[in-house]
Amino acid sequence: MSPSNISPTSQASKLVLETQGITKRFPGVLANDRVDLTLRRGEILALLGENGAGKSTLMNVVYGLYQADSGEVFVKGSPVRLQNPRDAISLGVGMVHQHFQLVPVMTVAENVILGAEVTRTGGLINHRAAAKQVADLSRRYGLEVDPTATVEDLPVGIQQRVEIIKALYRHADVLILDEPTAVLTPHESQELFQIMRGLTSQGVSIIFITHKLKEVLAVADRIMVMRAGRMVGETMPDESTEKSLASMMVGRDVLLQVEKMPANPEKTVLSVDGLVCLDDRKHRVLNGVSFEVRSGEILGIAGVQGNGQTELVEVLTGLRFAAGGTFQFDGKSFRKSNPRRINEAGAGHIPENRQRYGMVLSYTVAENMILNRYYDAPFTRTMMLDQTAIETYASALVEEFDVRTPSIHTPSGSLSGGNQQKLVVAREVGRKLRLLVAAQPTRGLDVGSIEFIHRRIVDERDAGVAVLLVSSELDEILFLADRIAVMYKGKIIATVAADQATRDELGLLMAGITT
Amino acid sequence: MDSSLVLIAVLRSTLRQSTPITLGALSGLFCERVGVINIAIEGMMLTAAYMGYMTNVLTGNLILSVIVAVLSGGLMALLHAWLSIHFKVVQIISGTVINILAVGLTGYFYQPGAVTKGKLQSVTVPVLSDIPIIGDVFFNNGPLTYLAVALVFVVNVVLFRTRWGLRMRAVGEHPSAADTLGINVISTRYINVVIGGMLAGLAGAYLTLEAVGSFERLMTNGRGFISLAAMIFGKWTPLGGWAAALLFGAANAVQTQIQFSGNVTIPHQFIGMLPYVLTVIVLAGFVGRARPPAAIGRPYEPE
């Protein structure tokens, strides 16, 4: 090895992974700009940054999915060339992607061994030996999972363990976790953190990618922050606060919690009474839900995902028929109605899946801005779309809601997640509303966009709109809601005033424990 | 006619009629399990039937003829793979292109009146063929018929018990997962599509080298499409596909037998429709319930 190949900063064997000057350019974007990163043996390094800061790009370079334009990766002190994930795996680098790379119809054991199978002669798979190896790994690292279970039957938290076992099975001692808590409940996240500590105590080093500040402070040994493709800082958890981390991430001071005045609720706008509904598989997912939302207040529906919140929102916005019960909006019943009628009555809807239900990805920003009103004046005159009116309106909203887009004629699909969400919010609240139904309004968004959207939701409330906020982020509910209803197994099991609610109490309620 | 003779005739006919469909279903299986739709089984079969037949006409070497048929099926599949995997052409279009190409080529080069030098003869299995009925039905067949049945079990083991099969299924279900584990999605797809084409080629060989012994224009007569139906009805499994192929074979055998007996007043065209009507019913009734490989029809785009 020539001297120039030895990493200058690698002190003995303490550094298990290091990048030097990684630069990666995509058409029009400098995703990574001379990024240096170090990972020490047995530590949890939090890699913090907003969406689009370049965290995932950097990790994909380290995992061999992308080739850097320049710069070097060192694994255990030696420079390496990573052409594909197989190279990274053979060097002991494992990655758990945000979207799980698991084959749903296969068993846990099959998923684990895929690509590195335990075989007998003739390529026959030794299923028993595979199951045993998986069981051994899960015992050793405290990752409880049944090797013979089919992956699609498992909850997300367990599927994630399968991903970790997959990496460990390949003898990974560097583990990259890409936004692992995005899909987990608070309780599952706590379990994951315990698993992570267990892994580091056995010599595994972990890069934990996230933009959730609380988690970083709770679990990281060291923190590195990226912004706009660059590494902008390194710090320790005991030297940091959520606020200091947020400003490092965003590059300016951020309000983590938007300021709001006490609510001023007036008359009831939405009243839901004994709502029952079935999901697509004909299972009863709403089991007699009743609540009221009044003008000028935010009712937050907390709960672990999959307890009927999705279907509740679908019923209230006309996307699904209720099997029983009623709901009244401004005194009129809309139980068997359609989205357009409810929309025209003054209800805005920020859907939980913005790309699927919030917009037509191949339409331009301007076209998406008028999706809920394209058929009316001033956008349509005598059956023809009035382009001038549409453009004027869309430009004004883009301006007001700070949607960062090259032009209003850009297809919405090419915007970033945060800007897509701002587009949806702009369309929905860009007109006079009576009711706003916001489902997971900031899922997957960065701190800056979250702040903006939270501000708009509170503004709507202050303008006298009744707001129903559905979120599985407890913080979001605590920051925004005036009253909090907890949903569990298709029922509202408790409603509390937000200023009297505690995280612990809500956490227990979300797990179905009522005292 | 003696009823046991009728039974034997129908059962024998069932097995024989089902052979090309069984092979066709396996062909479809290899393609679709890796995520490539293959509606071109028909065209691959027809090409192979023609190529096998012409090789037989020219050389008289039956083994060489079978090999040529199999390779020509594989070659057509390579074209399908190239179009749909490399160029990411919509797989239905690519398959249609191949079907049309096969009809055109074989029709154009078809030589009426060409004389073959024999066909594959039945092989009687000693002892086993002496069992009443069963012996006649199962142990007195042409070599490709035995081979087709054997392949059903071989493919079943390959698909569900081997490393190769596990990787195939992973590529068809979740290609990016396979990719991140170091499995080459593109080459896995190429190889298995070509194997699928070779199986369709074997079905074509069966038609001209074992069943009929001569070639006619459009002689596959929809068997490729029925194979596809059998594969779907069999839920993308070799054993299921075989069972479905036997069902279609039985429909054909019964249809032939009814026409043969001559004492029915239904017009023969209607009786001849039986296997096709069955296909429609089966597909209308069962397709919704079967679950195809998740990545089917989608070209692989690495992230």
Side-chain angles (χ1 to χ4, degrees), chain A residues 86 101-102 105 117 123 125, chain B residues 161 163 167 174 176 182 291:
Chain A
R86 181 171 272 190
Q101 300 292 322
L102 295 172
V105 295
E117 297 83 353
I125 287 173
Chain B
R161 307 299 306 259
R163 165 165 55 193
R167 292 180 174 190
H174 198 328
S176 69
R291 188 160 74 165

Side-chain angles (χ1 to χ4, degrees), chain A residues 389-411:
Chain A
I390 293 170
E391 285 170 16
T392 315
Y393 179 74
S395 303
L397 284 184
V398 162
E399 181 84 14
E400 183 187 345
F401 286 81
D402 190 30
V403 182
R404 310 233 170 111
T405 170
S407 118
I408 57 167
H409 302 295
T410 306

Side-chain angles (χ1 to χ4, degrees), chain B residues 68 189 192 288:
Chain B
V68 168
R189 287 194 167 167
N192 285 291

Side-chain angles (χ1 to χ4, degrees), chain A residues 151-385:
Chain A
V151 164
E152 63 186 344
D153 299 334
L154 299 174
V156 215
I158 308 287
Q159 292 192 13
Q160 192 169 55
R161 291 182 193 174
V162 180
E163 284 280 29
I164 295 174
I165 294 175
K166 251 167 81 178
L168 296 172
Y169 174 83
R170 287 165 177 75
H171 308 292
D173 52 9
V174 173
L175 202 55
I176 303 168
L177 305 177
D178 190 2
E179 308 239 359
T181 55
V183 290
L184 301 183
T185 64
H187 181 68
E188 284 174 326
S189 299
Q190 290 308 321
E191 286 182 347
L192 175 68
F193 296 155
Q194 274 182 16
I195 290 168
M196 284 164 64
R197 290 206 193 87
L199 288 168
T200 51
S201 73
Q202 301 200 42
V204 177
S205 317
I206 296 175
I207 301 180
F208 170 50
I209 303 179
T210 186
H211 56 241
K212 294 189 188 171
L213 307 167
K214 257 196 191 62
E215 296 177 348
V216 171
L217 294 174
V219 78
D221 297 315
R222 198 158 59 91
I223 303 165
M224 296 187 91
V225 184
M226 285 187 78
R227 182 171 74 234
R230 293 182 177 209
M231 193 63 82
V232 293
E234 181 184 339
T235 177
M236 295 308 213
D238 47 13
E239 298 164 2
S240 324
T241 61
E242 285 187 52
K243 211 169 162 50
S244 72
L245 291 177
S247 38
M248 264 172 103
M249 251 167 90
V250 184
R252 61 177 166 89
D253 282 340
V254 194
L255 291 175
L256 291 174
Q257 177 167 8
V258 296
E259 287 166 33
K260 63 181 176 92
M261 307 297 282
N264 235 331
E266 288 170 31
K267 72 182 192 73
T268 299
V269 172
L270 176 70
S271 101
V272 177
D273 189 17
L275 215 52
V276 173
C277 113
L278 310 177
D279 69 3
D280 297 334
R281 293 182 300 177
K282 305 285 172 217
H283 294 159
R284 204 177 235 246
V285 282
L286 289 187
N287 227 331
V289 170
S290 307
F291 60 84
E292 286 186 348
V293 192
R294 303 204 294 172
S295 155
E297 74 163 351
I298 299 176
L299 175 69
I301 306 255
V304 176
Q305 245 186 302
N307 277 291
Q309 301 98 314
T310 304
E311 289 80 6
L312 173 66
V313 168
E314 284 176 354
V315 170
L316 295 180
T317 52
L319 292 166
R320 184 183 291 275
F321 284 154
T326 57
F327 72 94
Q328 299 205 320
F329 173 23
D330 270 345
K332 279 173 281 184
S333 174
F334 281 87
R335 192 175 81 136
K336 297 254 170 187
S337 187
N338 59 45
R340 182 175 285 189
R341 261 192 70 213
I342 293 178
N343 176 44
E344 286 179 342
H349 176 206
I350 303 172
E352 64 173 42
N353 187 336
R354 69 182 82 98
Q355 300 201 331
R356 192 134 174 218
Y357 296 110
M359 58 178 57
V360 181
L361 291 174
S362 57
Y363 280 13
T364 66
V365 170
E367 285 164 340
N368 272 304
M369 282 291 189
I370 55 154
L371 266 192
N372 54 351
R373 288 201 287 164
Y374 66 90
Y375 50 84
D376 250 348
F379 308 122
T380 292
R381 292 181 200 280
T382 57
M383 297 182 69
M384 300 292 278
L385 289 174

